[in-house]
Amino acid sequence: MISVTLQESLYSPQLPCRNFPLSLTPPPPLMSVSVLTVIPGPRLLEAPILLLLHFHNALREELADLRRTAAEALDSRIYGPGLIRELRRRFEFLKLVNKYHSVAEDEVIFRALDVHVKNVVSAYTLEHTSTHDILESIFHYLDVLMKEENETHISKPFQELVYFIGTLQTIICKHMAKEEEQVFPLLTQLFTTQEQASFVWQSICSVPMLLLEDFLRWMSSFLSSDERENVLRCIKEIVPEDLLLQKVVISCIQATEETSTGTIVGEFDKYGKGTLFLNGRASFRKILEVYTSEGHSGEAMKPDHQHPSHTTAQHNPLDSAHLWHSTYHKGFVEAVVDLYSIRDSDDLSGLAPAIVQLKFFGDVIIYYCNSLDKLFYSMCIELAEDCPAPSYQRFLNDSQIEGLQQLLYSKSKNGMSTRSFVENLCSKLKLCVTGIRKYLTFLENEVFPFIVMNCSHEMQWWLLYTGLEMMPLGLLKCTVTWFSSHLTEDRLKSILHSLKQGGLMVNKSSYSILYEWVRIGYSGKTSTEKFREELHAAFENRCSFISEQIKDSSAFPYLQLDTQLSNRSNTSYSRGNSFHVNFPQKLNMLTHFSTYPTENNTESSFLYHESKPVDHIFFFHKALKKDMECLVSLSANLAENVALFTEFYQRFHLLRVLHKVHSDAEDEIAFPALEAKEIIQNSSHSYSIDHKMDNEYFNRISYVLGQISELCDDSLNGRMVMYRQLCLKLHDMCKCMNKMLSDHVNHEMIELWPLFREHLSLKEQEKIIGCMLGRTQAETLQEMIPWLMASLTVEEQTVLMSIWGKVTKNTMFDQWLAEWWEVSKYLPRGRNTEGASLKSNMISHKTMHTETSDENDKEMQSSKEQTHHHCEACSSEFHRSNTEILTTDSENDTTANPVLVLTQEELEATIRSVNRDQTLEPKQKSIIIQNLMMSRWINTQKKSHPDDNALENIQGVPGVYPSYRDIHKLVFGCKHYKRNCKLVAACCNKLYTCRLCHDDAADHVMDRKATTMMMCMKCLIIQPIGPTCSTVSCNNLSMARYYCPICKLFDDEKKIYHCPYCNLCRVGKGLGFDYFHCMNCNACMARSLSVHTCREKCLEDNCPICHEYIFTSKDPVKGLPCGHVMHSSCFQEYTFSNYTCPICSKSLGDMQTYFGMLDAMLAEEKIPDEFLGRTQDILCNDCENKGTAPFHWQYHKCPRCGSYNTRLI
């Protein structure tokens, strides 16, 4: 065994694989799921942003209750239609509030935070999209359950429903816990109370009024009375000085108390009517149901005899829509004309305000169109029994709307010029103007008359107010004030009269707010010019958070808005929400803090990229996802097939180990390397939190697996029901773990993988992958390599092996790999096999010299209680079937052909003696020295030819007797190792306790890898080498606690590991524990030396003092600041008289004290007059700069670094 040490580091050895035993101790509850956040009242007033944590708590409790309700129904096997309808309604509400909460975070809070701390929030924006597929699956199974009439077929889909509810709970709660750990502390630290209040208010105003009431009432239902009072006080500070708005928001919260006392009764109390109208078209039955539930006494529909004759004589509520249509169309056309004027002129200064107005008009028409589609037109369709309904049409199809919105909000990186942008926008708007005019005409001529003909006045007012409430609060206020500022006095009076009439009839709270907004807009408090400024501020409030980023964008100067308007005003309109809500699938393409493409960075697109070292991470992630899916499949069948448990356990254990190794390597190596780049700092912390939570979840699965294991050990006697329950729980957890890992891997591939490829050079990437592999022990590699290869295509396998080959080119990894596993089919084409073979032969020669441990290092001693283990990394595959003992041919025996036999020390002394002999001629000296140096090689060659018939006299091998490390205690071994066996040296067919004993006694070195036989010192039987004695009498006696089949090393005392990159056994706990392997230096180093001066293959050289080969040296090695190495003992002796490296002449340490003494000495020294003023050219050995120094016959100070370690040039 070889122990090479750096001072403070052992150029070390390695340990066996990390063991994660099944946990039988109940793990603590998941912090992300079960723990509610406590927000003290005073703290809430200081940091209003924490109000959102009350929403987090409400969401946690709602999800927990949904899961509990579904699980109880599954256990009791009661799956009635009423329960399914209730679950569907609750999930529709949950989907809606979670969507608008995510929109508010992305468009308001995250954008503000990104100004101060870059690259933090992009990961959280990605996570907002993670729940979409789970919710789709939940609604799919709810639909299946609603259609299924046979109760015997309900159990399976209901079980799947419970699984997906549990997954949804875990994913959302994990996301919220991460936000509370990272995002909210930053928000409270970086923003004032007023700024936080502004963010919360903008978030509130991004929610449609129809949903806002339901949302606040729902959230308040989870608050205690004290918490509700704290929230009310906070709301009064958050809501601007608008008493009507305060009253509306506060009344929603207080309505919960009335509900609890029975004042309000009805199906729509807690979850409201918002889900009926905002999640698609509402059915006529639901519209009437909601209308009736709100206590309207009038008839909703007109009697049949009243249809056309009486409607023309009186004013209808929808008549005011004509005025709104004409005003909107006129304003929109004016904004388009302004854009055309800008296009035709050379002055682009007015482009930003024009874009702002177009965004506003785009939002208004989209929400207006959606409300009419979901409410008015759905009624037309269901009322059209006797007469045909109006043929449906929109002003633009979805793709056209999406294209316009995407153009308005994109910060494209495709280099589009401003002129091209304006031209493109004008062409889209031309089509849009025509479409809007046709759409409004269609409403006036077909839809509204149909509603007027069939619905009562009260129903029309209710539809009108409900439609307005489907707009976000902030957008509604902007729209109403803008509209009223364009009214004449007569039209204003008409509008106010209509509002009052309708409001008193159907909606008093909405009426009072709308009435006041109309009055304010017309009165001049919000003039047209002032409105434009406020609108500009509202839109730019969204963009101002990235103003610095935008200012550098020459491609889109129209986005460089006036920063004077970017101060966080109290405007309630946070732009971007409509596009975020209506086109969420395009969100990642447009988000400003996303520095990556989303659709091109998938697994399928990998082969389109040039291979880079960081792709190792991609391959690992692919295998991780595939193996997790396999675990899910296995867990689904465990309940019915107990035989699968062993396979599941082995796969889970392997996946857990590899995930832990990989996540630790990312956290400690890959992510810090990424964070070191200033432009992408803070991009990885969210993923480190993910690793911590994933490990926590693995522990929980391990605990359940431990419970199942205990049942299996008891043969499931009478406990089959419990076994099946645990298997169902395990399957549930595996599906959840699969979703967590898949999301984590996908987001990391979308966000971080491109950053690694783009911002890190190939050399930096190779260093990262080298460090990750360099802390991976051989046992882990042995498990990881086939696991990885099984998940990759042939092309990917070739690429991966090529990456590893480049990263480990300075090491013996190829040699270890060839000895452990046949990988020739994975080697890259065109590889220099001849060079590899030469290198392998060279390494084999090097490793034949010395292999001992550092007996004096206390850290290398292991306790005697340590259980038996052997080097798994080098095991089963290498047990040779050949049982022959290589013996020396009698004709080549040294007694028959005597050859000079000298030890190394004697040989060196003899050569020096010959060299000093003055009586010999130079030619004679050369011949004698050459013969002396060749003598050992000649002797080795004569003894290295094996005898094919050695087995005929196998017990005739000399040395068949035990040797003792401690003869008094009868402890087997030698002075080098404690072990229970002797080795048969293949070179001389003799028994020695260890290779070092052989080398001490013989005149040649022993090839440890050629050793195939050993002798048990208890039974004295020679047998094939292995970790235990194969004789029956010894009963599998262990030869040593540690056994390495590659190095043929046994030891019962020290902590030893096999390094796959040195391909040697070394002393220490192992790679990833107390050592890592530096791929450039090709040395195992203590982890404290993770930052060191790298020199390529620095150990593969001789000590500059004693000239012993360092790589296989038994003595500790000292690493010098310059990167060179020497033995520690040589260093101590050398530094008595020298302070510079004997190789590069750099200083060996901090010499400032010594240089200060030289300064003082030279200051007192007098230079002869003839040398005064003279200078000399010097080269500094420390800073490597040239310069001049005052004349001196010995000392010359570097003018740059002050070092006296210089030389004249």
Side-chain angles (χ1 to χ4, degrees), residues 245-270:
L245 279 177
Q246 279 190 13
K247 183 179 178 182
V248 169
V249 174
I250 291 173
S251 65
C252 294
I253 297 175
Q254 291 176 331
T256 307
E257 297 179 272
E258 298 175 359
T259 304
S260 61
T261 59
T263 305
I264 298 178
V265 181
E267 182 184 349
F268 303 97
D269 291 345
K270 185 172 183 180

PDB file of all heavy atoms in Angstrom, residues 245-270:
ATOM      1  N   LEU A 245     -62.372  51.591  -1.421  1.00  0.00           N
ATOM      2  CA  LEU A 245     -61.604  50.374  -1.655  1.00  0.00           C
ATOM      3  C   LEU A 245     -61.298  49.662  -0.344  1.00  0.00           C
ATOM      4  O   LEU A 245     -61.373  48.434  -0.243  1.00  0.00           O
ATOM      5  CB  LEU A 245     -60.304  50.701  -2.386  1.00  0.00           C
ATOM      6  CG  LEU A 245     -60.388  50.883  -3.898  1.00  0.00           C
ATOM      7  CD1 LEU A 245     -59.049  51.260  -4.474  1.00  0.00           C
ATOM      8  CD2 LEU A 245     -60.909  49.624  -4.565  1.00  0.00           C
ATOM      9  N   GLN A 246     -60.928  50.450   0.665  1.00  0.00           N
ATOM     10  CA  GLN A 246     -60.690  49.845   1.982  1.00  0.00           C
ATOM     11  C   GLN A 246     -61.921  49.109   2.471  1.00  0.00           C
ATOM     12  O   GLN A 246     -61.845  47.988   2.979  1.00  0.00           O
ATOM     13  CB  GLN A 246     -60.310  50.935   2.989  1.00  0.00           C
ATOM     14  CG  GLN A 246     -58.871  51.364   2.926  1.00  0.00           C
ATOM     15  CD  GLN A 246     -58.511  52.253   4.110  1.00  0.00           C
ATOM     16  OE1 GLN A 246     -59.273  52.347   5.079  1.00  0.00           O
ATOM     17  NE2 GLN A 246     -57.361  52.900   4.024  1.00  0.00           N
ATOM     18  N   LYS A 247     -63.045  49.744   2.271  1.00  0.00           N
ATOM     19  CA  LYS A 247     -64.296  49.157   2.749  1.00  0.00           C
ATOM     20  C   LYS A 247     -64.581  47.834   2.038  1.00  0.00           C
ATOM     21  O   LYS A 247     -64.997  46.852   2.671  1.00  0.00           O
ATOM     22  CB  LYS A 247     -65.440  50.142   2.522  1.00  0.00           C
ATOM     23  CG  LYS A 247     -66.783  49.659   3.040  1.00  0.00           C
ATOM     24  CD  LYS A 247     -67.858  50.708   2.805  1.00  0.00           C
ATOM     25  CE  LYS A 247     -69.210  50.189   3.298  1.00  0.00           C
ATOM     26  NZ  LYS A 247     -70.290  51.183   3.041  1.00  0.00           N
ATOM     27  N   VAL A 248     -64.356  47.800   0.723  1.00  0.00           N
ATOM     28  CA  VAL A 248     -64.628  46.579  -0.042  1.00  0.00           C
ATOM     29  C   VAL A 248     -63.709  45.451   0.405  1.00  0.00           C
ATOM     30  O   VAL A 248     -64.154  44.335   0.673  1.00  0.00           O
ATOM     31  CB  VAL A 248     -64.450  46.847  -1.556  1.00  0.00           C
ATOM     32  CG1 VAL A 248     -64.468  45.535  -2.333  1.00  0.00           C
ATOM     33  CG2 VAL A 248     -65.547  47.758  -2.055  1.00  0.00           C
ATOM     34  N   VAL A 249     -62.397  45.736   0.504  1.00  0.00           N
ATOM     35  CA  VAL A 249     -61.439  44.692   0.865  1.00  0.00           C
ATOM     36  C   VAL A 249     -61.687  44.204   2.278  1.00  0.00           C
ATOM     37  O   VAL A 249     -61.696  42.996   2.552  1.00  0.00           O
ATOM     38  CB  VAL A 249     -59.999  45.226   0.714  1.00  0.00           C
ATOM     39  CG1 VAL A 249     -59.002  44.199   1.218  1.00  0.00           C
ATOM     40  CG2 VAL A 249     -59.706  45.580  -0.737  1.00  0.00           C
ATOM     41  N   ILE A 250     -61.906  45.137   3.200  1.00  0.00           N
ATOM     42  CA  ILE A 250     -62.112  44.755   4.603  1.00  0.00           C
ATOM     43  C   ILE A 250     -63.421  43.990   4.777  1.00  0.00           C
ATOM     44  O   ILE A 250     -63.501  43.033   5.567  1.00  0.00           O
ATOM     45  CB  ILE A 250     -62.074  46.013   5.495  1.00  0.00           C
ATOM     46  CG1 ILE A 250     -60.643  46.582   5.516  1.00  0.00           C
ATOM     47  CG2 ILE A 250     -62.539  45.684   6.906  1.00  0.00           C
ATOM     48  CD1 ILE A 250     -60.529  47.905   6.236  1.00  0.00           C
ATOM     49  N   SER A 251     -64.445  44.381   4.013  1.00  0.00           N
ATOM     50  CA  SER A 251     -65.725  43.682   4.136  1.00  0.00           C
ATOM     51  C   SER A 251     -65.609  42.224   3.712  1.00  0.00           C
ATOM     52  O   SER A 251     -66.291  41.354   4.253  1.00  0.00           O
ATOM     53  CB  SER A 251     -66.792  44.391   3.305  1.00  0.00           C
ATOM     54  OG  SER A 251     -66.472  44.311   1.925  1.00  0.00           O
ATOM     55  N   CYS A 252     -64.735  41.953   2.743  1.00  0.00           N
ATOM     56  CA  CYS A 252     -64.544  40.561   2.311  1.00  0.00           C
ATOM     57  C   CYS A 252     -63.949  39.724   3.439  1.00  0.00           C
ATOM     58  O   CYS A 252     -64.319  38.561   3.631  1.00  0.00           O
ATOM     59  CB  CYS A 252     -63.630  40.512   1.092  1.00  0.00           C
ATOM     60  SG  CYS A 252     -64.330  41.269  -0.384  1.00  0.00           S
ATOM     61  N   ILE A 253     -63.009  40.312   4.178  1.00  0.00           N
ATOM     62  CA  ILE A 253     -62.383  39.576   5.282  1.00  0.00           C
ATOM     63  C   ILE A 253     -63.358  39.405   6.438  1.00  0.00           C
ATOM     64  O   ILE A 253     -63.448  38.337   7.055  1.00  0.00           O
ATOM     65  CB  ILE A 253     -61.117  40.312   5.746  1.00  0.00           C
ATOM     66  CG1 ILE A 253     -60.101  40.352   4.590  1.00  0.00           C
ATOM     67  CG2 ILE A 253     -60.500  39.644   6.964  1.00  0.00           C
ATOM     68  CD1 ILE A 253     -58.870  41.155   4.891  1.00  0.00           C
ATOM     69  N   GLN A 254     -64.093  40.464   6.725  1.00  0.00           N
ATOM     70  CA  GLN A 254     -65.040  40.395   7.839  1.00  0.00           C
ATOM     71  C   GLN A 254     -66.224  39.500   7.528  1.00  0.00           C
ATOM     72  O   GLN A 254     -66.892  39.020   8.437  1.00  0.00           O
ATOM     73  CB  GLN A 254     -65.520  41.798   8.196  1.00  0.00           C
ATOM     74  CG  GLN A 254     -64.427  42.667   8.810  1.00  0.00           C
ATOM     75  CD  GLN A 254     -64.888  44.081   9.070  1.00  0.00           C
ATOM     76  OE1 GLN A 254     -65.775  44.589   8.364  1.00  0.00           O
ATOM     77  NE2 GLN A 254     -64.299  44.723  10.070  1.00  0.00           N
ATOM     78  N   ALA A 255     -66.481  39.265   6.240  1.00  0.00           N
ATOM     79  CA  ALA A 255     -67.612  38.409   5.877  1.00  0.00           C
ATOM     80  C   ALA A 255     -67.449  37.002   6.403  1.00  0.00           C
ATOM     81  O   ALA A 255     -68.416  36.278   6.606  1.00  0.00           O
ATOM     82  CB  ALA A 255     -67.782  38.381   4.359  1.00  0.00           C
ATOM     83  N   THR A 256     -66.211  36.600   6.651  1.00  0.00           N
ATOM     84  CA  THR A 256     -65.961  35.260   7.193  1.00  0.00           C
ATOM     85  C   THR A 256     -66.573  35.102   8.567  1.00  0.00           C
ATOM     86  O   THR A 256     -67.141  34.063   8.910  1.00  0.00           O
ATOM     87  CB  THR A 256     -64.446  34.998   7.254  1.00  0.00           C
ATOM     88  OG1 THR A 256     -63.881  35.256   5.966  1.00  0.00           O
ATOM     89  CG2 THR A 256     -64.159  33.573   7.649  1.00  0.00           C
ATOM     90  N   GLU A 257     -66.467  36.155   9.381  1.00  0.00           N
ATOM     91  CA  GLU A 257     -67.045  36.086  10.722  1.00  0.00           C
ATOM     92  C   GLU A 257     -68.559  35.970  10.641  1.00  0.00           C
ATOM     93  O   GLU A 257     -69.187  35.228  11.400  1.00  0.00           O
ATOM     94  CB  GLU A 257     -66.644  37.339  11.505  1.00  0.00           C
ATOM     95  CG  GLU A 257     -65.146  37.465  11.726  1.00  0.00           C
ATOM     96  CD  GLU A 257     -64.806  38.732  12.486  1.00  0.00           C
ATOM     97  OE1 GLU A 257     -64.619  39.762  11.842  1.00  0.00           O
ATOM     98  OE2 GLU A 257     -64.731  38.660  13.727  1.00  0.00           O
ATOM     99  N   GLU A 258     -69.165  36.715   9.690  1.00  0.00           N
ATOM    100  CA  GLU A 258     -70.616  36.633   9.535  1.00  0.00           C
ATOM    101  C   GLU A 258     -71.040  35.238   9.098  1.00  0.00           C
ATOM    102  O   GLU A 258     -72.046  34.702   9.540  1.00  0.00           O
ATOM    103  CB  GLU A 258     -71.078  37.672   8.513  1.00  0.00           C
ATOM    104  CG  GLU A 258     -70.787  39.108   8.942  1.00  0.00           C
ATOM    105  CD  GLU A 258     -71.150  40.101   7.845  1.00  0.00           C
ATOM    106  OE1 GLU A 258     -71.596  39.643   6.776  1.00  0.00           O
ATOM    107  OE2 GLU A 258     -70.980  41.307   8.060  1.00  0.00           O
ATOM    108  N   THR A 259     -70.230  34.649   8.202  1.00  0.00           N
ATOM    109  CA  THR A 259     -70.534  33.291   7.740  1.00  0.00           C
ATOM    110  C   THR A 259     -70.507  32.302   8.890  1.00  0.00           C
ATOM    111  O   THR A 259     -71.351  31.428   9.024  1.00  0.00           O
ATOM    112  CB  THR A 259     -69.531  32.860   6.667  1.00  0.00           C
ATOM    113  OG1 THR A 259     -69.551  33.816   5.607  1.00  0.00           O
ATOM    114  CG2 THR A 259     -69.869  31.495   6.112  1.00  0.00           C
ATOM    115  N   SER A 260     -69.492  32.478   9.769  1.00  0.00           N
ATOM    116  CA  SER A 260     -69.353  31.538  10.885  1.00  0.00           C
ATOM    117  C   SER A 260     -70.496  31.663  11.875  1.00  0.00           C
ATOM    118  O   SER A 260     -70.813  30.732  12.586  1.00  0.00           O
ATOM    119  CB  SER A 260     -68.017  31.777  11.592  1.00  0.00           C
ATOM    120  OG  SER A 260     -67.972  33.095  12.122  1.00  0.00           O
ATOM    121  N   THR A 261     -71.151  32.829  11.903  1.00  0.00           N
ATOM    122  CA  THR A 261     -72.263  33.010  12.832  1.00  0.00           C
ATOM    123  C   THR A 261     -73.603  32.708  12.182  1.00  0.00           C
ATOM    124  O   THR A 261     -74.640  32.820  12.806  1.00  0.00           O
ATOM    125  CB  THR A 261     -72.280  34.450  13.355  1.00  0.00           C
ATOM    126  OG1 THR A 261     -72.400  35.350  12.245  1.00  0.00           O
ATOM    127  CG2 THR A 261     -71.002  34.762  14.107  1.00  0.00           C
ATOM    128  N   GLY A 262     -73.554  32.381  10.866  1.00  0.00           N
ATOM    129  CA  GLY A 262     -74.794  31.986  10.204  1.00  0.00           C
ATOM    130  C   GLY A 262     -75.514  33.114   9.525  1.00  0.00           C
ATOM    131  O   GLY A 262     -76.624  32.923   9.040  1.00  0.00           O
ATOM    132  N   THR A 263     -74.916  34.282   9.439  1.00  0.00           N
ATOM    133  CA  THR A 263     -75.595  35.406   8.802  1.00  0.00           C
ATOM    134  C   THR A 263     -75.742  35.186   7.308  1.00  0.00           C
ATOM    135  O   THR A 263     -76.743  35.541   6.708  1.00  0.00           O
ATOM    136  CB  THR A 263     -74.809  36.710   9.058  1.00  0.00           C
ATOM    137  OG1 THR A 263     -74.635  36.850  10.462  1.00  0.00           O
ATOM    138  CG2 THR A 263     -75.518  37.907   8.489  1.00  0.00           C
ATOM    139  N   ILE A 264     -74.684  34.597   6.702  1.00  0.00           N
ATOM    140  CA  ILE A 264     -74.715  34.346   5.261  1.00  0.00           C
ATOM    141  C   ILE A 264     -74.827  32.858   5.048  1.00  0.00           C
ATOM    142  O   ILE A 264     -74.076  32.078   5.611  1.00  0.00           O
ATOM    143  CB  ILE A 264     -73.439  34.894   4.589  1.00  0.00           C
ATOM    144  CG1 ILE A 264     -73.368  36.400   4.795  1.00  0.00           C
ATOM    145  CG2 ILE A 264     -73.407  34.548   3.121  1.00  0.00           C
ATOM    146  CD1 ILE A 264     -72.125  37.033   4.226  1.00  0.00           C
ATOM    147  N   VAL A 265     -75.764  32.477   4.211  1.00  0.00           N
ATOM    148  CA  VAL A 265     -75.972  31.060   3.953  1.00  0.00           C
ATOM    149  C   VAL A 265     -75.979  30.851   2.451  1.00  0.00           C
ATOM    150  O   VAL A 265     -76.509  31.654   1.708  1.00  0.00           O
ATOM    151  CB  VAL A 265     -77.293  30.556   4.575  1.00  0.00           C
ATOM    152  CG1 VAL A 265     -77.467  29.067   4.302  1.00  0.00           C
ATOM    153  CG2 VAL A 265     -77.323  30.851   6.067  1.00  0.00           C
ATOM    154  N   GLY A 266     -75.467  29.776   1.998  1.00  0.00           N
ATOM    155  CA  GLY A 266     -75.494  29.490   0.570  1.00  0.00           C
ATOM    156  C   GLY A 266     -74.309  28.658   0.157  1.00  0.00           C
ATOM    157  O   GLY A 266     -73.286  28.619   0.814  1.00  0.00           O
ATOM    158  N   GLU A 267     -74.467  28.031  -1.003  1.00  0.00           N
ATOM    159  CA  GLU A 267     -73.419  27.140  -1.487  1.00  0.00           C
ATOM    160  C   GLU A 267     -72.178  27.896  -1.881  1.00  0.00           C
ATOM    161  O   GLU A 267     -71.088  27.349  -1.882  1.00  0.00           O
ATOM    162  CB  GLU A 267     -73.952  26.361  -2.689  1.00  0.00           C
ATOM    163  CG  GLU A 267     -72.965  25.355  -3.242  1.00  0.00           C
ATOM    164  CD  GLU A 267     -73.492  24.679  -4.485  1.00  0.00           C
ATOM    165  OE1 GLU A 267     -74.692  24.847  -4.781  1.00  0.00           O
ATOM    166  OE2 GLU A 267     -72.697  23.996  -5.148  1.00  0.00           O
ATOM    167  N   PHE A 268     -72.314  29.189  -2.201  1.00  0.00           N
ATOM    168  CA  PHE A 268     -71.193  29.916  -2.771  1.00  0.00           C
ATOM    169  C   PHE A 268     -70.448  30.758  -1.744  1.00  0.00           C
ATOM    170  O   PHE A 268     -69.689  31.634  -2.095  1.00  0.00           O
ATOM    171  CB  PHE A 268     -71.717  30.827  -3.895  1.00  0.00           C
ATOM    172  CG  PHE A 268     -72.454  30.077  -4.956  1.00  0.00           C
ATOM    173  CD1 PHE A 268     -73.824  29.997  -4.946  1.00  0.00           C
ATOM    174  CD2 PHE A 268     -71.757  29.406  -5.942  1.00  0.00           C
ATOM    175  CE1 PHE A 268     -74.503  29.290  -5.913  1.00  0.00           C
ATOM    176  CE2 PHE A 268     -72.423  28.698  -6.928  1.00  0.00           C
ATOM    177  CZ  PHE A 268     -73.804  28.640  -6.910  1.00  0.00           C
ATOM    178  N   ASP A 269     -70.674  30.492  -0.445  1.00  0.00           N
ATOM    179  CA  ASP A 269     -70.056  31.333   0.584  1.00  0.00           C
ATOM    180  C   ASP A 269     -68.540  31.274   0.542  1.00  0.00           C
ATOM    181  O   ASP A 269     -67.882  32.290   0.416  1.00  0.00           O
ATOM    182  CB  ASP A 269     -70.552  30.909   1.975  1.00  0.00           C
ATOM    183  CG  ASP A 269     -72.026  31.268   2.147  1.00  0.00           C
ATOM    184  OD1 ASP A 269     -72.494  32.067   1.332  1.00  0.00           O
ATOM    185  OD2 ASP A 269     -72.651  30.739   3.067  1.00  0.00           O
ATOM    186  N   LYS A 270     -67.964  30.069   0.684  1.00  0.00           N
ATOM    187  CA  LYS A 270     -66.517  29.962   0.872  1.00  0.00           C
ATOM    188  C   LYS A 270     -65.749  30.018  -0.436  1.00  0.00           C
ATOM    189  O   LYS A 270     -64.748  30.713  -0.546  1.00  0.00           O
ATOM    190  CB  LYS A 270     -66.185  28.667   1.614  1.00  0.00           C
ATOM    191  CG  LYS A 270     -64.701  28.552   1.962  1.00  0.00           C
ATOM    192  CD  LYS A 270     -64.445  27.364   2.846  1.00  0.00           C
ATOM    193  CE  LYS A 270     -62.969  27.294   3.247  1.00  0.00           C
ATOM    194  NZ  LYS A 270     -62.684  26.152   4.115  1.00  0.00           N
TER     195      LYS A 270
END
